[in-house]
mmCIF file of all heavy atoms in Angstrom:
data_model
loop_
_atom_site.group_PDB
_atom_site.id
_atom_site.type_symbol
_atom_site.label_atom_id
_atom_site.label_comp_id
_atom_site.label_asym_id
_atom_site.label_seq_id
_atom_site.Cartn_x
_atom_site.Cartn_y
_atom_site.Cartn_z
ATOM 1 N N ILE E 40 0.840 18.222 -7.034
ATOM 2 C CA ILE E 40 0.389 19.604 -6.826
ATOM 3 C C ILE E 40 1.436 20.374 -5.990
ATOM 4 O O ILE E 40 1.757 21.500 -6.326
ATOM 5 C CB ILE E 40 -0.985 19.605 -6.144
ATOM 6 C CG1 ILE E 40 -2.038 19.082 -7.119
ATOM 7 C CG2 ILE E 40 -1.347 21.032 -5.656
ATOM 8 C CD1 ILE E 40 -3.368 18.768 -6.499
ATOM 9 N N ALA E 41 1.961 19.760 -4.971
ATOM 10 C CA ALA E 41 2.985 20.406 -4.139
ATOM 11 C C ALA E 41 4.232 20.691 -4.914
ATOM 12 O O ALA E 41 4.812 21.777 -4.828
ATOM 13 C CB ALA E 41 3.273 19.536 -2.890
ATOM 14 N N GLY E 42 4.663 19.776 -5.737
ATOM 15 C CA GLY E 42 5.851 19.952 -6.563
ATOM 16 C C GLY E 42 5.652 21.023 -7.565
ATOM 17 O O GLY E 42 6.551 21.870 -7.794
ATOM 18 N N ASP E 43 4.508 21.074 -8.229
ATOM 19 C CA ASP E 43 4.174 22.112 -9.186
ATOM 20 C C ASP E 43 4.163 23.476 -8.528
ATOM 21 O O ASP E 43 4.647 24.470 -9.081
ATOM 22 C CB ASP E 43 2.859 21.853 -9.895
ATOM 23 C CG ASP E 43 2.916 20.671 -10.843
ATOM 24 O OD1 ASP E 43 4.010 20.279 -11.255
ATOM 25 O OD2 ASP E 43 1.845 20.144 -11.205
ATOM 26 N N ALA E 44 3.621 23.552 -7.328
ATOM 27 C CA ALA E 44 3.543 24.809 -6.610
ATOM 28 C C ALA E 44 4.962 25.344 -6.266
ATOM 29 O O ALA E 44 5.225 26.522 -6.385
ATOM 30 C CB ALA E 44 2.713 24.660 -5.343
ATOM 31 N N LYS E 45 5.820 24.428 -5.846
ATOM 32 C CA LYS E 45 7.218 24.831 -5.516
ATOM 33 C C LYS E 45 7.908 25.343 -6.764
ATOM 34 O O LYS E 45 8.620 26.353 -6.732
ATOM 35 C CB LYS E 45 7.984 23.659 -4.944
ATOM 36 C CG LYS E 45 7.658 23.380 -3.508
ATOM 37 C CD LYS E 45 8.547 22.318 -2.953
ATOM 38 C CE LYS E 45 8.205 22.050 -1.494
ATOM 39 N NZ LYS E 45 9.159 21.180 -0.836
ATOM 40 N N GLN E 46 7.735 24.672 -7.906
ATOM 41 C CA GLN E 46 8.373 25.108 -9.140
ATOM 42 C C GLN E 46 7.821 26.486 -9.544
ATOM 43 O O GLN E 46 8.616 27.352 -9.927
ATOM 44 C CB GLN E 46 8.075 24.115 -10.249
ATOM 45 C CG GLN E 46 8.886 22.847 -10.143
ATOM 46 C CD GLN E 46 8.566 21.920 -11.318
ATOM 47 O OE1 GLN E 46 7.447 21.447 -11.434
ATOM 48 N NE2 GLN E 46 9.571 21.689 -12.137
ATOM 49 N N THR E 47 6.546 26.673 -9.484
ATOM 50 C CA THR E 47 5.927 27.954 -9.825
ATOM 51 C C THR E 47 6.447 29.067 -8.940
ATOM 52 O O THR E 47 6.761 30.175 -9.426
ATOM 53 C CB THR E 47 4.395 27.848 -9.741
ATOM 54 O OG1 THR E 47 3.981 26.821 -10.657
ATOM 55 C CG2 THR E 47 3.745 29.143 -10.156
ATOM 56 N N ALA E 48 6.540 28.807 -7.652
ATOM 57 C CA ALA E 48 7.018 29.827 -6.716
ATOM 58 C C ALA E 48 8.456 30.203 -7.025
ATOM 59 O O ALA E 48 8.807 31.403 -7.014
ATOM 60 C CB ALA E 48 6.908 29.309 -5.276
ATOM 61 N N GLU E 49 9.302 29.250 -7.343
ATOM 62 C CA GLU E 49 10.689 29.547 -7.641
ATOM 63 C C GLU E 49 10.787 30.304 -8.960
ATOM 64 O O GLU E 49 11.643 31.208 -9.096
ATOM 65 C CB GLU E 49 11.534 28.266 -7.698
ATOM 66 C CG GLU E 49 11.760 27.644 -6.319
ATOM 67 C CD GLU E 49 12.442 28.612 -5.363
ATOM 68 O OE1 GLU E 49 13.398 29.287 -5.750
ATOM 69 O OE2 GLU E 49 12.002 28.680 -4.204
ATOM 70 N N LYS E 50 9.992 29.955 -9.948
ATOM 71 C CA LYS E 50 10.022 30.651 -11.225
ATOM 72 C C LYS E 50 9.580 32.117 -11.015
ATOM 73 O O LYS E 50 10.159 33.009 -11.607
ATOM 74 C CB LYS E 50 9.097 29.994 -12.244
ATOM 75 C CG LYS E 50 9.671 28.675 -12.771
ATOM 76 C CD LYS E 50 8.699 28.026 -13.722
ATOM 77 C CE LYS E 50 9.193 26.674 -14.175
ATOM 78 N NZ LYS E 50 8.232 26.002 -15.069
ATOM 79 N N ALA E 51 8.600 32.316 -10.152
ATOM 80 C CA ALA E 51 8.155 33.676 -9.880
ATOM 81 C C ALA E 51 9.253 34.474 -9.198
ATOM 82 O O ALA E 51 9.465 35.657 -9.531
ATOM 83 C CB ALA E 51 6.901 33.645 -9.031
ATOM 84 N N LYS E 52 9.947 33.890 -8.262
ATOM 85 C CA LYS E 52 11.050 34.561 -7.595
ATOM 86 C C LYS E 52 12.158 34.934 -8.591
ATOM 87 O O LYS E 52 12.686 36.034 -8.511
ATOM 88 C CB LYS E 52 11.666 33.648 -6.510
ATOM 89 C CG LYS E 52 10.819 33.522 -5.263
ATOM 90 C CD LYS E 52 11.582 32.616 -4.275
ATOM 91 C CE LYS E 52 10.748 32.262 -3.076
ATOM 92 N NZ LYS E 52 11.467 31.316 -2.215
ATOM 93 N N ASP E 53 12.453 34.024 -9.517
ATOM 94 C CA ASP E 53 13.482 34.301 -10.498
ATOM 95 C C ASP E 53 13.045 35.461 -11.412
ATOM 96 O O ASP E 53 13.847 36.300 -11.754
ATOM 97 C CB ASP E 53 13.765 33.086 -11.332
ATOM 98 C CG ASP E 53 14.579 32.020 -10.592
ATOM 99 O OD1 ASP E 53 15.126 32.323 -9.544
ATOM 100 O OD2 ASP E 53 14.628 30.874 -11.080
ATOM 101 N N THR E 54 11.793 35.480 -11.755
ATOM 102 C CA THR E 54 11.252 36.502 -12.644
ATOM 103 C C THR E 54 11.354 37.903 -11.949
ATOM 104 O O THR E 54 11.746 38.883 -12.543
ATOM 105 C CB THR E 54 9.804 36.246 -13.008
ATOM 106 O OG1 THR E 54 9.753 34.978 -13.675
ATOM 107 C CG2 THR E 54 9.251 37.326 -13.892
ATOM 108 N N LEU E 55 11.039 37.926 -10.664
ATOM 109 C CA LEU E 55 11.106 39.166 -9.921
ATOM 110 C C LEU E 55 12.519 39.669 -9.722
ATOM 111 O O LEU E 55 12.758 40.875 -9.604
ATOM 112 C CB LEU E 55 10.409 39.051 -8.595
ATOM 113 C CG LEU E 55 8.876 38.791 -8.664
ATOM 114 C CD1 LEU E 55 8.324 38.517 -7.277
ATOM 115 C CD2 LEU E 55 8.179 40.006 -9.277
ATOM 116 N N LYS E 56 13.494 38.762 -9.674
ATOM 117 C CA LYS E 56 14.886 39.145 -9.496
ATOM 118 C C LYS E 56 15.454 39.813 -10.733
ATOM 119 O O LYS E 56 16.345 40.635 -10.664
ATOM 120 C CB LYS E 56 15.753 37.931 -9.129
ATOM 121 C CG LYS E 56 15.538 37.436 -7.747
ATOM 122 C CD LYS E 56 16.419 36.236 -7.474
ATOM 123 C CE LYS E 56 16.178 35.653 -6.119
ATOM 124 N NZ LYS E 56 16.999 34.463 -5.876
#
Side-chain angles (χ1 to χ4, degrees):
I40 292 167
D43 289 341
K45 283 185 179 188
Q46 285 180 296
T47 301
E49 288 303 316
K50 287 178 185 177
K52 285 181 188 176
D53 287 346
T54 302
L55 294 173
K56 287 180 183 177

